[in-house]
Amino acid sequence: MVRDTARRTGVAEAQLAAIHGIDDSALSGELNRIPLHSLLQLWELLATARPEPGAGLAVVAAAPLGTLTTWDYLVTNGPTLADALGAAQPYHRLVTAAAEGFGLTHDGDLTVEFRTTAGDPAVAAVINEYVLAYYLRRAREATGRQVVPARVAFSRAAPRNHDALTAAFGTDRIEFDAPADTITFRADDATASLPRADPMLADLLRSHADLVLATARPIPGPLEAFRIALAAALTAGDPALTSVAHRMAVSPRTLQRQLAEHGTTWRHEFDLVRYEQAKTLLAEGRLTTSAIATRLGFTDDRALRKAFHRWSGTSPTRSRRA
């Protein structure tokens, strides 16, 4: 949702391509956990391309019910809106990181609060605009009526013009410089029976959500992805810089630049992965040091012994005995 809205807003493809873990293959799997850093980079691009109020609203406008798969149906299926959101709350990691805050207060009226970890106020403003507008859209879809919130509060400073927010939320009861970012639904909206409530479906959704969270797999960050590719290339007997770059679909120069951005170098990383694999092979005890040297790309076992002593202060033979 965020990537495609950024694209429609005019963010360059090269800028999007530079963000790790947002290609179609990564985004198509519900079990894939996108790095929070990547998501925040996307929001930053969107906030820069469209700084005035409305960027977060544009993301919601392109997200009909079902876009966020399991989460969308969790927050809209229950006896009432308050029940649905309350039952969904423990599963908020389906759509965001555990560090992101999602709170509910039900004291007659129902208040949804969100706390982003984005440090840049401009980025946080767009994220919170999206989140509050998202819950309003889902409330309208769940109840089947044009819900108008009792109040909306943003922690951001008041923009010069917020007509877009007034139109989207259907109210001028919008507060800025608030202690928290919240949307409050009136009691009659929060407790009205939902027309499509299905208790059996709700149970199935929660079971599925438990399974998704239990089997979710974080998409490796750029440095971790490089180390996986390097280890695979070393195992395959082709650990050259050009080969690893090809595995990662980048140029050798781009790969070296990325490593520098993470405070490391090709030589250091190559050394590190050979050391780790040498320790593993020695511990397994199935190969001679000569065979290990060949597998790890050393000219002979003497070169391996020299490197191993530099890495660990001891010899491969002593390390194997230990």
Side-chain angles (χ1 to χ4, degrees):
M1 288 163 25
V2 184
R3 184 201 65 184
D4 291 349
T5 302
R7 180 177 286 141
R8 287 191 298 271
T9 303
V11 173
E13 287 297 329
Q15 291 179 287
L16 295 173
I19 300 178
H20 179 73
I22 63 165
D23 55 280
D24 286 339
S25 61
L27 296 178
S28 63
E30 188 177 19
L31 296 181
N32 291 338
R33 303 264 69 84
I34 310 303
L36 180 60
H37 176 67
S38 295
L39 183 55
L40 291 178
Q41 284 182 292
L42 265 183
W43 282 114
E44 183 178 359
L45 288 178
L46 182 57
T48 301
R50 187 172 178 173
E52 293 304 311
L57 300 179
V59 178
V60 175
L65 183 64
T67 305
L68 289 181
T69 58
T70 305
W71 178 253
D72 272 355
Y73 296 108
L74 279 172
V75 300
T76 55
N77 193 303
T80 67
L81 180 63
D83 291 324
L85 289 175
Q89 185 178 17
Y91 300 100
H92 79 279
R93 288 186 295 115
L94 288 169
V95 286
T96 189
E100 304 282 91
F102 171 48
L104 287 176
T105 303
H106 188 200
D107 51 4
D109 288 349
L110 174 67
T111 297
V112 181
E113 177 184 348
F114 186 76
R115 300 175 301 281
T116 179
T117 57
D120 185 332
V123 177
V126 175
I127 294 173
N128 289 321
E129 177 184 294
Y130 154 73
V131 171
L132 301 192
Y134 166 85
Y135 284 108
L136 177 58
R137 176 166 188 173
R138 294 298 178 259
R140 289 172 173 173
E141 290 164 332
T143 61
R145 59 193 191 189
Q146 192 68 7
V147 172
V148 175
R151 57 189 171 277
V152 179
F154 291 103
S155 58
R156 63 162 293 174
R160 287 178 297 177
N161 184 300
H162 61 273
D163 289 347
L165 297 178
T166 300
F169 287 98
T171 180
D172 58 5
R173 298 188 65 183
I174 300 178
E175 178 185 354
F176 296 96
D177 290 309
D181 293 85
T182 62
I183 182 168
T184 300
F185 299 102
R186 292 182 174 85
D188 57 344
D189 290 320
T191 59
S193 297
L194 299 187
R196 293 178 296 179
D198 185 334
M200 185 174 293
L201 176 59
D203 287 341
L204 288 172
L205 287 168
R206 286 191 291 272
S207 295
H208 179 68
D210 286 328
L211 180 63
V212 170
L213 291 177
T215 57
R217 46 180 181 264
I219 294 177
L223 188 56
E224 184 181 0
F226 159 75
R227 287 171 175 164
I228 292 171
L230 175 56
L234 185 58
T235 300
D238 188 19
L241 172 63
T242 52
S243 300
V244 177
H246 180 72
R247 283 173 178 264
M248 299 184 68
V250 298
S251 69
R253 178 174 293 184
T254 296
L255 177 55
Q256 288 180 308
R257 187 187 73 247
Q258 291 173 346
L259 292 174
E261 290 172 352
H262 285 82
T264 189
T265 64
W266 165 263
R267 182 179 295 276
H268 172 76
E269 293 297 326
F270 186 43
D271 229 22
L272 182 64
V273 75
R274 287 208 290 184
Y275 177 41
E276 292 301 322
Q277 290 205 12
K279 287 194 297 182
T280 299
L281 293 171
L282 287 167
E284 290 174 351
R286 295 182 309 204
L287 299 177
T288 65
T289 54
S290 295
I292 293 174
T294 300
R295 174 173 290 195
L296 299 182
F298 290 98
T299 54
D300 53 35
D301 60 348
R302 181 176 178 274
L304 170 62
R305 289 197 302 272
K306 183 177 180 181
F308 201 88
H309 191 275
R310 173 168 53 84
W311 294 329
S312 64
T314 188
S315 68
T317 303
R318 288 180 178 175
S319 176
R320 173 174 278 169
R321 287 172 183 168

